[in-house]
Each structure stands twice: as C-alpha cells, then as structure tokens.
Amino acid sequence: MAEKILFVAPRMIGDAVMASGVLDRLVATRPGARVTVAAAPEAADLFTHMPGLHRLIAVRKRRDHAHWLALWAEVVGTRWDLAIDLKGSGLPYAVWARRRFVRRPMPGLRLFEQHAALLGLDPAPLPVAWTGPAERARAAALIPDGPPVVALCPTASWAPKMWPAERFAALFRRLAGDALPGARAAVFGGPGARERQGAAPLLAALPGAIDLVGALTLPEVAACLARCALAVSNDSGLMHIAAATGVPTLGLRAHFPDQAARVRPAGRAAGWVLRDGDDMAAIGVDDAEEGCRKVLAMAG
C-alpha cells in the first residue's frame, strides 16, 4: 500500500523553497508515496508540480489560529505513515501517524540543512523548483533562446532590504559589457501595487528590459529564472527560487548578518554579498560585480 505523507510547509515563500529539497528526496526514495501538502496561499503554488502530490491544501490564516483547527479537521481522518511539520505548529501530534517530525531550531545550520538533520538526511539535499510543461513553454516564449538574460529582482518584503535601483542598473550595464556580453535584462517581482512600485525605478532605468513583475505564477517564475544566465536579487523569495533552479544566483543583504547564514541562498552556484548594519547602500556596485563573477565561475 502506498505510503501517506502529510507535509506542513513553512509560511514564507523563501522558507518553503528551502524545505523543497527534503520533500523531493522523501518522494524519490518512496516510490508511489501520496503526499498531502499544507501551505500558505502565497507559497502553495510552489508545490503544484511536485512528484507524488496527492492533495494541496491552502491554509489561509484566520484570527485566533482557527486555521489550524480547520486544517486538523481536513487531515485527522487519515492514518499517516509520516507527518512532517516544518512550520513548527505541532499538528503531527494531533493526528494519527506512525512517525512524526516537527521543526525545531538548530543553531549553526543553514535552514535547508536543519530540515535535513531533522529527517536524518545526509548530505542535505539542495532545494528544488518544480515546473510543468506549460510553464516551461511560456518561459521559452518570454525568454527565448539568444543573448544571455540577467534576472534582476529589485523588490523585497520591506524597503530597507532593497538595493538602490540605480545600482542594479549600473551592475547590469557592466555585466552586459564584459562578463555576459550583449545580455538582456529581465526584471522580476511579485504581484500587487507595492511590488510594481518597488520595481518601477529599475524598469525606468532599463527601458529595454523584459518586464515580468506580477505577471507570473510561482512555477512560471521558476521556469523563467531557469532560462537566465544569472540572477541578482535582494533577500527575498525570488532569490531562493532562483538558487533552487540552479541558475547562478547572487543575493544582496545588509541586515541582521548574525542570522544571515541560516537563510543564505542554497543552490549549485549561489552566494551573496553581506554587509553589517542596516544600510543596503553599503553594498557597492564593485562588490556585487565581484560576487556575480564568483557565482558564474562556480557554475562554469
């Protein structure tokens, strides 16, 4: 009989991406397993094309934590072989399960390594980005074969995490003139007016850029990023998706460096530029260019 796995994903998009590697490994080592994934609506699309997906439950936050009671009612009637909660809610202890795993802090380990250690996976599998044929076809139309494309992700969850737009533009011009001759820019951003507003200065500075702000589902974002030669991003969900696709990815961050190692982008060619303090302007264009060359060399 096929194993039944309940997987409660972290709420934030970036954290959910960092959990994808362990889920992918579990499915790969359990042929025929049927996985139910519970995720926040903003992150749920990440799992649409996951192998072994049986059911995807969007957990919409409610007052007084009533969403957990609603989720419990959805899953309590199943006898689970594995119940895994990487959000740390404790739900696995309220359902019947042969084995239970609930996230707990593990200082000194990166987030994807913490998930692997919890489940006894060694080495820790890198995050993955699942896409389907329709998403890959749309990505091929939006980012066709030809000159290399540099993905620029200038938005973030709050303004102090955003590198100045004029520096993104200056960095792109340098890359297009040397490291990636003839490159085109593609500007990514999430849905909504705030994301559009955050990306507007960069789009104005690079009028020939491919505008993908708010235009894509998360699997489409992943498929488009996978066709790029390089991604440069503020610390955001887009940064983690880019790294998970395997594209050379440089993250930019100048906040809470003592916690930064935990959420460093994880991918086959990923790194970032860190600065102490709370001023993203402390990251210079020279710093970012050097970082880009390093991740490109890693991929090469």
Side-chain angles (χ1 to χ4, degrees), residues 116-210:
L118 177 69
L119 298 175
L121 301 177
D122 185 26
L126 288 171
V128 299
W130 298 292
T131 61
E135 288 83 7
R136 293 192 290 272
R138 187 172 188 210
L142 292 169
I143 302 180
D145 294 338
V149 173
V150 177
L152 304 173
C153 308
T155 65
S157 57
W158 61 314
K161 292 176 69 175
M162 293 168 56
W163 201 41
E166 63 272 15
R167 297 196 182 178
F168 268 107
L171 172 65
F172 169 73
R173 294 187 184 104
R174 287 194 190 183
L175 294 169
D178 185 5
L180 294 167
R184 294 188 64 191
V187 179
F188 288 76
R194 187 174 67 175
E195 290 281 308
R196 171 58 61 180
Q197 182 179 9
L202 181 56
L203 287 166
L206 299 174
I210 302 167

Side-chain angles (χ1 to χ4, degrees), residues 5-11 19 23 35-40 47 57 59 68 71 75 82-92 101 103 115:
I5 300 174
L6 173 63
F7 187 88
V8 182
R11 184 176 69 86
L23 184 53
V35 184
T36 294
V37 175
F47 302 94
I57 303 173
V59 182
W68 291 117
L71 176 58
V75 301
L82 281 176
I84 302 164
D85 181 356
L86 296 186
K87 194 178 186 307
S89 72
L91 179 69
F101 299 90
R103 181 189 67 82
H115 299 329

Side-chain angles (χ1 to χ4, degrees), residues 44 46 53-54 61 65 84-85 90-91 103 114 126 128-129 137 174 182 185 240 247 255 260 283:
L46 291 170
L53 181 66
H54 172 63
K61 191 172 183 179
H65 303 288
I84 302 164
D85 181 356
L91 179 69
R103 181 189 67 82
Q114 293 184 33
L126 288 171
V128 299
R174 287 194 190 183
H240 291 292
V247 67
H255 300 274
I283 299 175

